Amino acid sequence: MRVQITGRHIDISAQIRAHAEQALGKLKKYDPQLSAADLIFREEGRSTEAEGILHLDGSDLMVAKGTGAGEREALDDLIDKLARMLRRNRERRTRHQATSFSEAMGEE
């Protein structure tokens, strides 16, 4: 998975970059079609805002924003929101259909 991390008017430390890549790697378990992620960090007054854009193969983009007192808090808020969105999206795609009669009776 390709991960691109950008800081707008802010320097991103190596620890935050490593934490972001690790956290985004864990999101792959919610949707195996996840191919790329873009993270953008911004200073907004006294708080930090993290915006995440997920690229899913064969689907639209997923965009979420997280805020916090620092980069790590904003990133954790963002990851929670993205995980929730991916779980919801996967449930929507799951077929909620009853099994056929022949499968239920065990084809003989």
Side-chain angles (χ1 to χ4, degrees), residues 62-64 80-90:
M62 288 192 163
V63 180
D80 290 342
K81 289 178 182 180
L82 288 173
R84 194 174 329 123
M85 289 172 70
L86 286 170
R87 281 194 303 266
R88 223 178 306 145
N89 187 37
R90 187 163 184 172

Side-chain angles (χ1 to χ4, degrees), residues 33-100:
Q33 294 178 344
L34 184 61
S35 61
D38 298 325
L39 289 179
I40 302 166
F41 289 93
R42 288 186 198 93
E43 286 275 338
E44 296 292 328
R46 292 187 179 191
S47 65
T48 303
E49 181 181 281
E51 180 179 3
I53 304 168
L54 298 181
H55 302 268
L56 300 171
D57 293 334
S59 184
D60 292 333
L61 299 175
M62 288 192 163
V63 180
K65 290 184 182 180
T67 57
E71 293 92 8
R72 192 171 190 94
E73 292 87 9
L75 177 63
D76 291 341
D77 185 35
L78 171 69
I79 295 297
D80 290 342
K81 289 178 182 180
L82 288 173
R84 194 174 329 123
M85 289 172 70
L86 286 170
R87 281 194 303 266
R88 223 178 306 145
N89 187 37
R90 187 163 184 172
E91 277 188 25
R92 271 191 221 126
R93 285 195 327 243
T94 305
R95 295 183 60 186
H96 297 283
Q97 206 171 35
T99 58
S100 66

